[in-house]
Amino acid sequence: MARYILRRILQMIPTIFGVIVITFILFNLVGGSPGAMTLGHHVSPRLLEEFDEVRGFNKPLLMGLWSGTRAFEDADFSRSASPWQGKKGVQRQAVDTRSGWAVSFAPDESHLIPLRFPLHPETRFRWSFRYRLSEGAHAWIFPADADELDKDAEPWREGTPFPAAPDWRQWRTMIDTSAQPDQQQWMLYVTGGTLEIDIVRLQRRANHWFDSQFVHYLDQIRRFDLGYSSQTDQPIGQMIRAGIIPSLTLTVPIFAIGLVLAICISLVCAFFRDTWLDRFFVVLSVALMSINYLVWIIVGQYVLAFQWGWFPVWGYESMAYLLLPILIGVVSGLGTDVRFYRTVMLDEMYKEYVRTAFAKGVSRKGVLFKHVLKNALITVVTNVVIAIPFLYTGSLLLESFFGIPGLGYLGINAINSSDVDVIRAIVLIGSVLYVVANLFTDICYAWVDPRVKLT
Amino acid sequence: MNKAASPLIEVQDLQVHFGSPAQPVRAVDGVSFQIAPGETIALVGESGCGKSVTAMALARLVPEPPARYVGGQILYQGRDVLQQDEDALRAIRGNEISYIFQDPGSSLNPVFRIGYQIAEAIELHRSDVPTRQEVLDLLRWVGMPDPARAARAYPHELSGGMQQRAMIAMALACHPRLLVADEPTTALDVTIQAQMLALLTRLQAELGMAILLITHNLGLVAGIAERMHVMYAGQFVEAGPTEAVLRAPRHPYTRGLLHAVPRLEGTRERLTGIDGMVPHPARLPGGCRFHPRCPMCQTRCEVEAPSAAEVDDTRWSRCHFWSEVPPP
Amino acid sequence: MSATTATAPQSGHSLWQEARRRLRRNRLAMACLWIIGIYTALALYGEGVYRWHQWRDVTPSYQRTDLDKQYLQPSYLRAPFAREQMDWATGETYTVSGWQRWGAGWTRLAQHPLGTDGLGRDVFQRLVQGTRIAYQVGIITSLIAIPLGVLLGCLAGYFGGRTDDFIVWLYSTFAAIPGLLFILAIAMVVGQGLLGVYLGIGLTMWVGLCRLIRGEVIKHRDRPYVAAARALGLSHVRIIFRHILPNVFHVVIVTFTLRFPAAIGTEVFLSFLGIGVQGEPSWGIMISNARLRLWHGVWWEMAFVTAAIFFIVLAFNLLGDALRDALDPRLRTEGEGDHE
């Protein structure tokens, strides 16, 4: 038994890792910038950069040293000369490069490289250029790190010169903001010809090869640090802890009442199978499950609470406020449950041991409530255990409609305000609970079914 | 046609239908037979011919719905089983008429211990709860090795033979007067089959009960049954003393069944069997129900359904040309 | 046993013929097919209307606001049927109720038969557009989920070993993530609009199908006909897709029928939250609008959307049940079978 549980726990690890990977892919990779998703697309790049800095989103994805920065967006010259758009002496022209476009810089002028905001201090950055210089031309970028000085070129003030090149060349220079904390301007200076730039890129250096978003994420999870909500600036762990109790006060009664009702009705169906009563319940359950969940809530709230005034309309102050949401939750889920448990019961009714029991002289009641029910309980128990994690996520709609400050309410708010970290935390915890519940399901299964041995 | 002594159970023109009344599926269509106390009779036929439904109907055990008992009578000790209420039926089931089924593995309830299931069978027909010793004695009686362990075991923990012994113990717990054995050995190994047969014969002798044996195994029939009924498509096609029927069948179907059994002695002829399949009860052919598969089929067979023709005073056959059926 | 032998399929009838015969006898299932057919026709009509307006580059009538026609009740309840008339003999006026004035009644009956909403837009036309979007979502999500589930399920079931381990790991990972939140997260990350809805539903729907297909394929993998095909030297691809797949394809059909309404429900939910369709009259958006108006006593928009969703979901659910019973009754406790 202990060995089985140990083995199952080991088997849980890949699944939990898979969940981590999927949430990572979903929120860090697919969505583009989580900052933009949360704060909106019209926020200043500086705010976004700060958002990313706090949450580690400006690191490389999996591993590596270099990642982009919003201070200087990678320029796409095929569309415009950005970020030099409209600057004097800068021209965009068609050339024979990948994008087909480059910008050329007029000679004997210094051209400011426009940064959107001062670079983060104590971080190292790197400029990369793909460029060419016309015959006899010289170009410098200044100021820049002296280490990278090309020895052959003539220095101009403290700038770093481009080595002369008629063909397309790569050139990089490192800059260290800790060395020049107040230096936030970079200039290009060209003499004796034109400088053409095909690609220009500013990259940020990570602390080490594995200083990546993924490792940062794993590290957060290891520390059980769920981060801060971007909406309320509260720690997410605290928000979730506060939301669990209201969620459970809603979902546990719904689940328990729904389960007992569904099993009772399904037993009635099994007892009176193929009679009008059974058919009535079948039709009723299909009809119940075909009514949209939203409609249950909206009409229930409008008619029962607002028009007839039987229940409070909105809030979370006393037990009375929970009654209507619980009622709606039970009724809307009843159809599916009755159908399921009725099938379970009827499947058992057609098993051969039922025939044996009847042949022994057991009454209909005895067969149903002793022989069949005990067998059906195997399915019921496993089904109940596996449903437990879903109690935790609460009911998204019921909570937000009735103003119950649980996790469902939290979730809906987070989705409405694109609060990525909150969603990610709820999804992550829900998944882990599900995996754990799966283990408990198997243990319960062995516990209620004598045929199953845990080995 | 049969013994005049008052029969234990008498089935008259039993009709059990499935499906809608508009399009009935005639699973059992006019079956009549009797079983005398202490007698062993056999019902023989291919799967799907209605023999299991007939057997289950004796204690009104075919679930309704979907089944409907449309006609006929089942007189158990002079009273019609089909007319009795649920309580009276329960008093008969397991007490007067007991059943053992083909697959003991699935016929025993998987979540109750063997001992409990046997005790339940006793308790249902007695006012008091049986002692543990009674259950153990029963298990020992049916030849269960280590009865104490078996009583504590769940069905899946026993072998097939042990499971069937437990089923027999359960069926015979109340000393029934009729045991209906529905393919009791089919799911078992050949060596176990012989043990079961010996066990049943012994218990029958001790209790003096009648046995209705449902099988498609003619060897088994030859071994223990005194009389046999051959069933095809919901009807009996031939009935008579086992030995006479097996030696000289008077219906081509019986003969076909015999030919499907390999034999050791005699010439090494080819096993012929019977072509085709049992027709679906919803789509029975007209005329004689066997005519599409019958090697002796003639025009008359396609249009006219044969009635039971007496061969001699102990046996009859439902064939127009019974006298022409060649020996096997 | 008796019941099963009594309804055992006759030789010469394939599983599909038998199923079709059983289905055709099932009057309820045929009624459901009719309902689905009507909805499909409406969806196609809606698509036509949508395309035509797009091609003409005009505001479609279901989007045109007309503040004079705000909150019109369904046509047969509307006041214009009743009109005051003067009795020429006495000079008194009296009211003629609607149904006595046939001539005018019929033409008016066709105007806004289901009433209008708060911006004077025709509820019926918007419902038709909602049907179009619901179908779009149901079909496209199935197109994502079915190939994915079938392919992975076949591969896992047929090859076993490492492939199986990987695919089982993959789907148990997806299954572990709370479904609705996962869909919401995908839709949120991908961005507002239908693409997020498609991906969200599609990427969660394949899991159940994959598990079922894998189980079925494992059952068939060791059957003699597969061994025979292997002995003939057929390629794995051919064995999987030509020999095994047709035998397990009924699982796909049943799953499709039962998941279609679920996809519609989820779409309604997402659109209601404002994550799904933008600027088109989806059922979810209609509910969202009608919800506010309900508090002012405008009941018909809500009532008709509810009815529209109810009947299509009901039809699919009942048809799915009938199909399942006709094709494979063992699928009835689908999803719980993984313990066995």
Side-chain angles (χ1 to χ4, degrees):
Chain A
M1 182 78 173
R3 272 189 58 193
Y4 172 82
I5 294 176
L6 191 70
R7 213 185 66 214
R8 278 301 312 266
I9 290 177
L10 288 181
Q11 281 174 356
M12 276 160 53
I13 292 173
T15 313
I16 291 181
F17 184 74
V19 171
I20 293 174
V21 171
I22 287 180
T23 48
F24 177 75
I25 292 176
L26 191 61
F27 291 109
N28 292 40
L29 195 61
V30 180
S33 156
M37 221 190 308
T38 310
L39 305 175
H41 288 277
H42 307 292
V43 185
S44 79
R46 183 171 193 172
L47 266 175
L48 290 176
E49 182 80 4
E50 276 165 13
F51 180 91
D52 284 357
E53 180 71 32
V54 171
R55 290 167 173 78
F57 284 132
N58 55 358
K59 297 174 191 293
L61 267 178
L62 281 177
M63 53 181 279
L65 280 177
W66 300 101
S67 57
T69 169
R70 291 170 201 280
F72 184 87
E73 297 268 311
D74 296 349
D76 178 6
F77 297 135
S78 66
R79 286 213 202 102
S80 70
S82 69
W84 284 282
Q85 181 76 44
K87 291 275 180 340
K88 197 173 131 280
V90 183
Q91 242 182 343
R92 189 172 71 107
Q93 59 196 54
V95 286
D96 52 338
T97 60
R98 245 174 299 169
S99 69
W101 293 91
V103 284
S104 67
F105 295 87
D108 302 321
E109 252 180 89
S110 53
H111 305 275
L112 183 71
I113 305 179
L115 288 184
R116 288 166 163 181
F117 51 85
L119 294 181
H120 192 262
E122 289 168 34
T123 314
R124 299 177 79 189
F125 290 89
R126 163 176 98 175
W127 283 107
S128 307
F129 296 93
R130 204 173 109 90
Y131 73 101
R132 68 182 174 192
L133 286 163
S134 63
E135 206 66 50
H138 293 279
W140 288 264
I141 178 170
F142 66 95
D145 199 336
D147 295 349
E148 299 279 324
L149 268 181
D150 193 304
K151 299 285 179 288
D152 304 331
E154 198 182 328
W156 184 79
R157 284 202 238 163
E158 286 159 335
T160 308
F162 287 82
D167 298 323
W168 293 105
R169 284 263 188 99
Q170 299 281 348
W171 186 78
R172 282 175 178 158
T173 184
M174 292 279 283
I175 49 179
D176 196 338
T177 44
S178 58
Q180 297 140 312
D182 28 293
Q183 181 57 58
Q184 289 294 348
Q185 287 198 329
W186 278 268
M187 316 273 273
L188 286 171
Y189 185 74
V190 191
T191 60
T194 49
L195 165 69
E196 284 182 348
I197 293 179
D198 174 29
I199 296 169
V200 54
R201 186 176 288 156
L202 179 63
Q203 283 169 310
R204 177 182 183 283
R205 191 182 195 278
N207 292 331
H208 51 83
W209 268 87
F210 293 100
D211 181 20
S212 64
Q213 292 184 29
F214 189 60
V215 175
H216 181 80
Y217 183 38
L218 289 181
D219 193 50
Q220 267 189 321
I221 293 170
R222 185 182 57 78
R223 285 184 281 120
F224 294 108
D225 170 17
L226 298 170
Y228 286 84
S229 157
S230 59
Q231 207 60 31
T232 60
D233 272 330
Q234 277 178 302
I236 293 172
Q238 191 188 324
M239 291 166 78
I240 287 180
R241 241 170 287 138
I244 280 185
I245 297 300
S247 272
L248 291 184
T249 55
L250 179 64
T251 50
V252 170
I254 290 179
F255 181 68
I257 298 173
L259 183 76
V260 171
L261 258 181
I263 290 179
C264 291
I265 295 178
S266 65
L267 279 172
V268 169
C269 285
F271 193 79
F272 296 103
R273 69 175 166 189
D274 290 329
T275 61
W276 64 268
L277 193 69
D278 178 26
R279 268 181 225 124
F280 168 75
F281 277 122
V282 171
V283 170
L284 188 71
S285 61
V286 180
L288 282 185
M289 64 186 273
S290 299
I291 295 177
N292 197 276
Y293 188 52
L294 284 166
V295 174
W296 280 118
I297 300 178
I298 294 170
V299 175
Q301 193 177 28
Y302 174 69
V303 175
L304 297 183
F306 176 70
Q307 281 206 318
W308 296 352
W310 290 1
F311 302 98
V313 176
W314 196 92
Y316 183 69
E317 284 158 34
S318 65
M319 274 305 291
Y321 285 83
L322 282 172
L323 289 179
L324 182 59
I326 289 174
L327 179 72
I328 292 176
V330 168
V331 172
S332 62
L334 200 60
T336 322
D337 283 0
V338 166
R339 238 162 60 109
F340 175 76
Y341 288 116
R342 178 182 170 272
T343 313
V344 171
M345 299 294 167
L346 284 188
D347 277 358
E348 290 295 330
M349 290 295 277
Y350 288 109
K351 295 266 173 76
E352 287 185 32
Y353 69 81
V354 173
R355 185 176 62 174
T356 312
F358 276 121
K360 276 203 282 195
V362 183
S363 64
R364 258 177 102 80
K365 250 184 259 160
V367 169
L368 189 66
F369 290 106
K370 197 154 82 186
H371 292 256
V372 168
L373 192 56
K374 187 155 183 197
N375 277 278
L377 272 183
I378 296 170
T379 319
V380 173
V381 167
T382 50
N383 220 38
V384 165
V385 177
I386 205 68
I388 286 173
F390 297 105
L391 300 181
Y392 137 86
T393 49
S395 167
L396 291 172
L397 282 180
L398 276 177
E399 288 180 17
S400 54
F401 266 85
F402 288 97
I404 295 160
L407 290 183
Y409 191 66
L410 188 65
I412 287 278
N413 275 347
I415 281 163
N416 282 338
S417 57
S418 296
D419 200 338
V420 178
D421 294 87
V422 173
I423 300 285
R424 189 165 76 172
I426 297 179
V427 166
L428 204 61
I429 295 177
S431 314
V432 173
L433 284 181
Y434 179 85
V435 175
V436 174
N438 239 326
L439 168 68
F440 278 105
T441 311
D442 284 1
I443 294 173
C444 286
Y445 196 54
W447 171 59
V448 288
D449 190 345
R451 285 164 296 185
V452 175
K453 284 278 166 290
L454 297 182
T455 45
Chain B
M1 186 164 149
N2 39 45
K3 291 174 193 166
S6 75
L8 179 68
I9 194 163
E10 185 175 0
V11 178
Q12 288 170 356
D13 194 29
L14 178 68
Q15 299 201 9
V16 184
H17 290 185
F18 291 91
S20 65
Q23 285 176 306
V25 175
R26 297 184 173 88
V28 177
D29 193 11
V31 157
S32 306
F33 63 101
Q34 307 181 340
I35 305 172
E39 190 188 26
T40 304
I41 80 160
L43 275 187
V44 182
E46 288 168 279
S47 33
C49 68
K51 55 190 195 301
S52 281
V53 179
T54 310
M56 298 287 284
L58 293 188
R60 201 169 177 168
L61 272 175
V62 194
E64 333 157 59
R68 282 172 294 119
Y69 297 91
V70 207
Q73 286 185 315
I74 299 171
L75 299 172
Y76 177 76
Q77 297 186 318
R79 287 167 59 192
D80 188 357
V81 170
L82 298 184
Q83 303 298 329
Q84 296 189 29
D85 63 5
E86 191 67 24
D87 287 340
L89 283 173
R90 271 178 25 225
I92 294 176
R93 293 173 187 160
N95 195 24
E96 308 268 331
I97 304 178
S98 275
Y99 283 81
I100 55 180
F101 298 107
Q102 175 171 359
D103 182 4
S106 50
S107 296
L108 289 164
N109 195 326
V111 298
F112 290 108
R113 295 177 196 275
I114 295 288
Y116 176 81
Q117 297 193 44
I118 294 173
E120 189 192 21
I122 305 173
E123 191 192 336
L124 284 166
H125 302 289
R126 238 172 52 180
S127 47
D128 59 326
V129 181
T131 62
R132 181 177 156 72
Q133 194 55 42
E134 272 179 280
V135 173
L136 293 186
D137 287 345
L138 259 174
L139 283 169
R140 198 169 294 114
W141 183 47
V142 297
M144 181 78 84
D146 197 356
R149 195 187 70 84
R152 270 197 318 274
Y154 285 102
H156 72 278
E157 293 167 344
L158 301 179
S159 69
M162 299 293 136
Q163 288 170 346
Q164 193 62 297
R165 280 177 202 273
M167 274 296 286
I168 293 174
M170 204 163 79
L172 302 189
C174 297
H175 299 208
R177 314 211 16 210
L178 171 65
L179 176 70
V180 181
D182 189 352
E183 308 259 13
T185 60
T186 313
L188 302 176
D189 285 346
V190 185
T191 48
I192 312 287
Q193 286 186 13
Q195 290 178 19
M196 284 304 130
L197 214 57
L199 176 66
L200 281 180
T201 331
R202 191 193 93 210
L203 297 174
Q204 183 181 25
E206 287 178 28
L207 294 176
M209 65 185 175
I211 292 183
L212 174 63
L213 182 68
I214 317 289
T215 185
H216 57 255
N217 183 344
L218 291 175
L220 193 61
V221 176
I224 64 170
E226 290 151 33
R227 294 171 43 79
M228 65 183 278
H229 299 261
V230 182
M231 197 164 182
Y232 184 81
Q235 290 181 328
F236 285 169
V237 291
E238 185 171 9
T242 307
E243 206 187 322
V245 172
L246 292 183
R247 204 170 288 281
R250 283 289 170 248
H251 194 283
Y253 179 64
T254 318
R255 186 171 175 272
L257 283 181
L258 276 169
H259 271 272
V261 182
R263 272 177 295 182
L264 278 178
E265 75 267 23
T267 51
R268 226 177 235 200
E269 55 188 318
R270 186 179 289 188
L271 280 178
T272 45
I274 310 169
D275 292 336
M277 282 169 63
V278 182
H280 189 273
R283 291 187 286 273
L284 292 173
C288 172
R289 290 180 184 180
F290 186 57
H291 85 258
R293 304 171 70 192
C294 182
M296 301 166 49
C297 173
Q298 299 186 20
T299 331
R300 183 182 169 198
C301 304
E302 290 170 20
V303 288
E304 188 189 339
S307 53
E310 279 203 15
V311 176
D312 54 49
D313 50 355
T314 58
R315 54 187 299 205
W316 55 268
S317 165
R318 198 185 288 273
C319 180
H320 294 304
F321 306 103
W322 61 267
S323 54
E324 294 161 28
V325 177
Chain C
M1 180 205 160
S2 46
T4 50
T5 48
T7 53
Q10 179 73 306
S11 66
H13 287 258
S14 76
L15 172 75
W16 294 100
Q17 284 171 320
E18 181 68 22
R20 195 178 307 150
R21 197 175 59 79
R22 257 187 264 175
L23 207 60
R24 200 164 283 160
R25 269 199 320 215
N26 187 340
R27 257 183 243 150
L28 190 64
M30 294 318 283
C32 290
L33 267 181
W34 272 106
I35 294 179
I36 292 171
I38 292 169
Y39 271 88
T40 313
L42 281 179
L44 287 174
Y45 166 73
E47 182 73 27
V49 170
Y50 171 72
R51 284 282 152 91
W52 190 76
H53 285 294
Q54 224 182 21
W55 177 64
R56 291 277 307 269
D57 202 19
V58 290
T59 313
S61 47
Y62 54 85
Q63 297 285 48
R64 215 173 290 143
T65 55
D66 184 351
L67 294 180
D68 293 339
K69 290 185 172 176
Q70 260 177 314
Y71 301 127
L72 286 186
Q73 289 200 345
S75 56
Y76 72 98
L77 295 175
R78 239 179 282 142
F81 283 94
R83 209 183 65 168
E84 291 210 329
Q85 271 191 353
M86 190 194 282
D87 189 329
W88 293 106
T90 59
E92 287 171 10
T93 55
Y94 61 95
T95 308
V96 180
S97 83
W99 294 109
Q100 289 166 358
R101 300 181 59 251
W102 287 107
W106 282 116
T107 50
R108 290 186 195 269
L109 205 57
Q111 288 171 1
H112 308 301
L114 306 184
T116 61
D117 68 1
L119 294 173
R121 298 173 297 195
D122 184 50
V123 170
F124 177 70
Q125 291 191 41
R126 289 174 73 77
L127 276 183
V128 170
Q129 291 301 311
T131 315
R132 168 177 76 89
I133 286 165
Y135 263 69
Q136 221 169 320
V137 169
I139 290 170
I140 293 180
T141 51
S142 304
L143 286 181
I144 296 174
I146 288 177
L148 203 62
V150 168
L151 184 71
L152 291 180
C154 283
L155 290 182
Y158 184 77
F159 289 110
R162 285 278 159 82
T163 322
D164 189 33
D165 288 344
F166 175 74
I167 293 172
V168 169
W169 168 77
L170 193 67
Y171 77 58
S172 35
T173 303
F174 271 87
I177 302 176
L180 201 53
L181 271 175
F182 191 42
I183 295 176
L184 283 172
I186 294 177
M188 179 179 115
V189 161
V190 175
Q192 293 177 332
L194 277 175
L195 183 68
V197 178
Y198 297 149
L199 285 179
I201 303 174
L203 287 181
T204 44
M205 201 160 80
W206 69 275
V207 175
L209 181 65
C210 181
R211 181 185 305 177
L212 285 172
I213 292 274
R214 172 177 169 272
E216 285 293 304
V217 170
I218 285 177
K219 264 183 240 157
H220 280 266
R221 184 180 61 191
D222 301 323
R223 296 257 169 99
Y225 77 90
V226 176
R230 247 185 235 146
L232 285 172
L234 300 187
S235 70
H236 290 310
V237 175
R238 202 180 160 81
I239 294 176
I240 294 176
F241 292 104
R242 294 298 298 278
H243 291 261
I244 298 182
L245 192 56
N247 284 304
V248 301
F249 201 71
H250 60 275
V251 178
V252 178
I253 304 244
V254 172
T255 312
F256 170 77
T257 328
L258 291 174
R259 295 294 160 141
F260 198 93
I264 291 178
T266 313
E267 186 272 324
V268 169
F269 177 73
L270 291 178
S271 300
F272 176 82
L273 289 181
I275 290 175
V277 194
Q278 307 292 316
E280 301 266 345
S282 146
W283 287 340
I285 289 180
M286 291 181 76
I287 289 186
S288 166
N289 292 339
R291 176 195 162 207
L292 299 174
R293 292 173 197 146
L294 190 63
W295 296 74
H296 305 297
V298 180
W299 53 268
W300 51 89
E301 197 178 354
M302 186 59 119
F304 292 121
V305 181
T306 306
I309 301 175
F310 176 78
F311 285 112
I312 186 72
V313 171
L314 185 76
F316 265 107
N317 275 332
L318 290 175
L319 182 72
D321 278 2
L323 273 174
R324 189 170 49 187
D325 289 344
L327 285 168
D328 187 357
R330 276 173 301 122
L331 288 175
R332 272 189 297 191
T333 45
E334 164 216 344
E336 311 315 307
D338 49 336
H339 303 294
E340 285 165 16

